[in-house]
Amino acid sequence: MSAGELLERSLAYALGSVAGAQCVDPGRGTPCAEWNLGELLGHLDDSLDALYEGLSGGRIGLLPHADRVCGFRTRACAVLGAWAAGPPEGVLVGERPLDVRVMAAVGAVEITVHGWDVARSCGRPRPLPDGLAAELLSVARCVVGEEDRGVRFAEPVAVPSGAQAETRLLAFLGRRL
């Protein structure tokens, strides 16, 4: 699956997860122990902003934008539009170069897993499609290292052998089903 297809499928999943979240108490807890639902949605917006910056301008700033005028759906469409318009070959994150396909794949992991977190927090669990989860697990294993544990991700959770890709992905990123 190409990075663009992965990003598109991740955004579609997250859009379904975020639908209706505005009707849920923003102070509600999430699978991300450090964040409530409002903070998680803000983080998801920041992630979409960063993806859009990278895809449309080839540079991601190190500080998030305060502009929250447009909603999640509008941001997701803007990201897809920027990809379809032909993203740059490389992106600068601060001053560090990053391949745009890597940025899109990492963004897909972020968007999908936090989409799962949002749905779970809203009391509407949504299973991850198996093919998408398997692709994202491959990406996550390449980009999440031990130095990320306790900082950006919780410790991995043990799962039974033969567990589905969704279970393995979420457990690898420290989530319990």
Side-chain angles (χ1 to χ4, degrees):
M1 179 180 320
S2 76
E5 291 168 323
L6 192 60
L7 187 58
E8 185 176 341
R9 291 182 66 203
S10 296
L11 286 166
Y13 174 83
L15 282 165
S17 297
V18 170
Q22 70 274 12
C23 299
V24 177
D25 176 11
R28 187 177 217 164
T30 71
C32 304
E34 303 294 318
W35 293 345
N36 64 32
L37 181 59
E39 293 164 333
L40 178 59
L41 290 168
H43 174 68
L44 205 45
D45 263 356
D46 289 343
S47 296
L48 285 179
D49 279 344
L51 279 170
Y52 182 74
E53 283 180 8
L55 292 172
S56 63
R59 184 180 207 66
I60 299 173
L62 297 180
L63 299 174
H65 287 117
D67 176 18
R68 299 240 183 261
V69 174
C70 54
F72 186 81
R73 183 174 302 278
T74 302
R75 289 180 196 284
C77 289
V79 167
L80 287 175
W83 183 272
E89 287 187 26
V91 176
L92 289 177
V93 180
E95 297 301 320
R96 300 189 101 156
L98 178 65
D99 184 290
V100 71
R101 293 166 301 188
V102 172
M103 180 196 70
V106 170
V109 171
E110 174 95 355
I111 290 164
T112 302
V113 173
H114 285 319
W116 181 88
D117 293 333
V118 168
R120 188 99 173 183
S121 297
C122 292
R124 298 179 297 112
R126 297 185 69 227
L128 294 173
D130 202 51
L132 177 61
E135 288 280 336
L136 296 175
L137 179 58
S138 295
V139 173
R141 285 185 173 149
C142 289
V143 298
V144 177
E146 284 307 311
E147 66 278 3
D148 295 313
R149 302 297 178 173
V151 179
R152 290 189 272 283
F153 299 97
E155 292 297 322
V157 176
V159 296
S161 63
Q164 291 185 329
E166 173 191 41
T167 301
R168 289 181 291 140
L169 171 66
L170 295 169
F172 179 75
L173 297 175
R175 284 149 174 89
R176 298 179 188 281
L177 292 176

